[in-house]
Structure formats: C-alpha cells, structure tokens
Amino acid sequence: MLQGVQIDLISQESLENMTSMEKIHLILDKVRQGTIVILEKGLEPDEQSKLIEMTMKEILPDDFNGIEMETYPSREEGSFLSRLIGRHSTSTRLTVIGPANQLKMIKKDKDQISAWISTR
Amino acid sequence: MDIFVQTKNRFSRFLSAFFKKKRSRIGIYGPPNAGKTTLANRIARDWAGDAVGAVSEIPHETRRALRKQDLCISGANGHSITIDIVDTPGVTTKIDYKEFLEYGLDKEEAITRAREATEGVAEAMHWLREDIDGVVYMLDSTSDPFQQVNIMMIGIIESRKLPVIIAANKIDLPDAAPQKIRSAFPQHPVVPISCLEGKNIEELYEQMVHSFR
Ligand SMILES: Nc1nc2c(ncn2[C@@H]2O[C@H](COP(=O)(O)OP(=O)(O)O)[C@@H](O)[C@H]2O)c(=O)[nH]1
Ligand SMILES: [Mg+2]
C-alpha cells in the first residue's frame, strides 16, 4: 500500500457553515488521526483560543502531544485611521494545522509557508 | 476627633466598602522562558505591603498559575491602580513529556509534569476569555517576535479588547533587539525591560498605571 500522509483541504464555504465547536472538533479529530488540515480561511481569535484549550485537554502521553499551526499572514490591517476608529479586521487566511510530532514549520514569510511533514 | 468628622469618615468607609471597585486582574502571558515569573516576583517584591502579597497557589485550580493579590501600584503623577497579578504558564500548542526527561526526571514524573502543564495552559486560555482585565505580554528580546503563537495570542487579546502592554524583556543581553518587537507590534505600547536587573522597570509600572486604570 502507498505510504503517506493524508492532507485535507477544507473550503471557506464549508467552514462558514460550521459553528466554532464543529470546526474545532473537525480539526482535532482529523489531526489526532495524523491528517494535515488546511483551512482556506483561518479561525477567528476566539476559535483559536478554544482550539488551544481543547488541544491541551486532548494531549495524552505517547499518543498525542499537541498541534502545530501556522496561519498565512493576514492582509494589511487597514490604515492607521481605520485602526484608530477600531475597525481593523482580524480576518485570518490560509491556515495549516497538523500533529506536532509530524508537522514542522520551516519558514514563513509574507508570500509562503514552508512546512515539512513526516509519516508516523 | 470631632464627632462630625468621625461620622463622616465612618460613612465614607462604609460607602467605599459598599462600592468597592472590583480589582482588575492583570495576566502575564507570553511564551515559555520569557521571564513572566521573574516579573511577577519583582512586582510582588516592589509593591506588596505587609498585609498581602505572598505568592500563593490558587486552591483547586491549576497548580502552575500563581496569583498575587491586591497590589497597589502607583505612578509618578500620583495615580495608582490596585490589581491582582496572574502569572501564567507559557502558552504553547504542544507539550511532549519527553522534553522533561532531558532534565533528569523519570518517566512518571515527566508525565505528571506534562499533565500539569497542559492543565495550566488550558486554564490560562480559559481565563483570558473569562476573567482577565488586562495583559502584560512578555517577550524575550533576543528571540523572534513573529512566532505564530505570539501573533495568535496578541490577536486573541485584541479581539477581547483588553488593554495590553508588551514587555520586551532581557535587554541586559548583548543580542537583545527590542526594536524588532516594536516593529512587530506597532499598535501597542512596548516597554523594553530587564526583569533580572530591574532596568527600566519603573517605566513599565508607569505604563501599567496608565494602561490599566
Ligand atoms: N538575562 C536575563 N535573563 C532573564 C531575565 N528575566 C528572566 N530571565 C531568565 O530567564 C529564565 C526564565 O525565566 P522565568 O521567569 O522562569 O520565565 P517564564 O517561563 O516566562 O516564567 C530564567 O533563567 C530567568 O533567570 C532578564 O531580564 N535578563
Ligand atoms: Mg513561569
């Protein structure tokens, strides 16, 4: 059988139709099975915070030791003025999430995320 | 003392007890090893009067996050704030017990320690959503401020609209680059400090009085 790693790309449309908890469970279920998840649109700050909290609760010795996550840099945060009036968008973009023992981020700059994935 | 003044004093004490403002809880967040505990200890040493201030573990909560209560910090202009300082474990998305083995712990101890760490991080994240009124975000000025966890945490703090001060710690080290932190987070006050030597710490207190009032 072909050896390898599964990568799931999840569209913005399907993410928009899920609740925060649905998204977090989907991500953690996949990642726990060793799947690399790529989200077309990133999580909201509150969802990121809950994802970290849930990840911590799922960690088990010799089984799951957490996640690696990288988000493509968000678009320019708007002008100084729009920031001043509190209208700066925090919309995050392309996000890669995987098991910490299989996914290593190599490099990230404003145009590219480089990651290295190993089989289990 | 004149009976009138006495009554008035008693009345104002009653009033202030009645309307006692909730002390704001200031969380010290940041990656592991940035110097959060060193700062928490320094703040407690500098400001804890004899009445309060001992480091105490919170009962029935995480064994790793420490709270120092009821600290009154005053600035040069006479303003002051009364706060609880919450020292949190470093926020991370992964914890592997095997890393603790390198410090000479046996497997069982390492697993226990890792479990405590995961509980501590989970709780720190939970508090940030429920219980924290302001944040000192601690960074080590000798390391890359653009790490994903920092960007994520600052985003989370901003989305909760909490006042935040970024402390660029360890400026006593030769390769410290606090200006890099400034350019990474231009939207927030950045105070370069050395918690170890106490350098610039007064400036941090001034900023705290200003931001957390
Ligand atoms: N050179 C230097 N080292 C520091 C400074 N503040 C803390 N440290 C050291 O950094 C390490 C981690 O400090 P600690 O307060 O435990 O970090 P925490 O994990 O963020 O709570 C310890 O060895 C401290 O002595 C500082 O201002 N300068
Ligand atoms: Mg600490």
Side-chain angles (χ1 to χ4, degrees):
Chain A
M1 211 192 104
L2 181 68
Q3 293 284 303
V5 176
Q6 182 173 331
I7 300 179
D8 287 356
L9 292 91
I10 304 179
S11 74
Q12 176 166 352
E13 288 74 18
S14 74
L15 288 167
E16 277 165 0
N17 287 323
M18 285 182 225
T19 65
S20 297
M21 272 312 168
E22 282 169 345
K23 283 188 233 179
I24 290 165
H25 285 300
L26 176 87
I27 293 165
L28 276 178
D29 286 350
K30 286 180 184 296
V31 168
R32 289 214 50 176
Q33 289 161 24
T35 301
I36 308 296
V37 180
I38 299 178
L39 310 178
E40 191 182 7
K41 184 181 185 299
L43 299 172
E44 298 295 319
D46 228 50
E47 295 168 342
Q48 295 175 5
S49 158
K50 286 186 188 123
L51 178 63
I52 297 175
E53 188 180 342
M54 299 274 289
T55 300
M56 288 297 125
K57 292 181 173 166
E58 297 261 318
I59 288 178
L60 267 181
D62 295 318
D63 178 36
F64 179 61
N65 58 27
I67 61 173
E68 188 75 63
M69 167 155 70
E70 200 74 42
T71 295
Y72 197 79
S74 58
R75 272 189 196 83
E76 250 329 296
E77 288 282 292
S79 66
F80 175 75
L81 196 69
S82 69
R83 203 180 280 144
L84 203 67
I85 58 177
R87 212 203 56 79
H88 69 269
S89 72
T90 40
S91 83
T92 51
R93 299 163 77 187
L94 201 66
T95 297
V96 188
I97 305 166
N101 61 346
Q102 280 175 269
L103 180 66
K104 294 277 170 287
M105 295 303 163
I106 298 170
K107 182 167 163 286
K108 176 171 108 172
D109 61 32
K110 71 182 189 19
D111 300 313
Q112 188 172 317
I113 297 171
S114 291
W116 189 80
I117 302 168
S118 72
T119 52
R120 291 219 238 202
Chain B
M1 200 190 299
D2 160 333
I3 180 100
F4 191 72
V5 174
Q6 237 174 31
T7 313
K8 193 173 138 251
N9 282 352
R10 195 174 304 144
F11 187 64
S12 71
R13 258 202 314 275
F14 167 79
L15 271 186
S16 70
F18 195 76
F19 290 109
K20 192 167 170 51
K21 195 166 148 278
K22 184 174 144 287
R23 290 193 305 265
S24 39
R25 270 184 282 252
I26 305 304
I28 305 178
Y29 284 80
N33 267 337
K36 298 179 294 300
T37 303
T38 311
L39 176 65
N41 287 337
R42 184 172 277 277
I43 292 175
R45 257 205 322 275
D46 287 351
W47 298 103
D50 38 25
V52 278
V55 174
S56 70
E57 293 188 344
I58 301 168
H60 310 116
E61 298 209 55
T62 173
R63 304 171 54 195
R64 313 213 45 230
L66 303 173
R67 191 174 289 205
K68 297 167 184 78
Q69 298 194 320
D70 219 359
L71 300 170
C72 184
I73 296 181
S74 44
N77 60 2
H79 291 307
S80 68
I81 49 170
T82 303
I83 58 168
D84 291 352
I85 279 284
V86 183
D87 176 27
T88 68
V91 169
T92 170
T93 56
K94 57 187 175 196
I95 291 173
D96 187 354
Y97 79 90
K98 294 194 194 77
E99 280 168 33
F100 295 118
L101 295 176
E102 288 159 27
Y103 296 91
L105 298 181
D106 68 34
K107 186 172 170 180
E108 204 174 313
E109 283 175 315
I111 288 176
T112 305
R113 194 170 277 245
R115 203 194 54 238
E116 286 171 6
T118 60
E119 286 166 1
V121 174
E123 206 150 57
M125 292 313 293
H126 189 79
W127 283 342
L128 190 52
R129 294 197 308 271
E130 308 284 332
D131 209 27
I132 292 289
D133 306 304
V135 174
V136 175
Y137 199 81
M138 261 284 189
L139 287 167
D140 179 339
S141 319
T142 66
S143 57
D144 174 22
F146 286 100
Q147 286 174 53
Q148 181 68 21
V149 71
N150 297 330
I151 306 290
M152 205 155 59
M153 287 300 291
I154 294 292
I156 292 168
I157 293 160
E158 284 172 351
S159 77
R160 306 226 63 91
K161 301 193 162 46
L162 297 175
V164 56
I165 300 169
I166 297 177
N169 193 28
K170 309 198 184 183
I171 54 166
D172 55 291
L173 296 176
D175 47 349
Q179 65 281 10
K180 234 197 230 166
I181 296 177
R182 267 215 179 98
S183 57
F185 303 105
Q187 69 275 40
H188 298 298
V190 173
V191 185
I193 53 169
S194 166
C195 288
L196 208 61
E197 296 182 352
K199 203 161 154 188
N200 244 0
I201 204 85
E202 293 300 330
E203 211 167 298
L204 179 67
Y205 294 149
E206 286 295 333
Q207 187 64 53
M208 287 174 73
V209 171
H210 182 263
S211 297
F212 300 145
R213 224 144 59 86

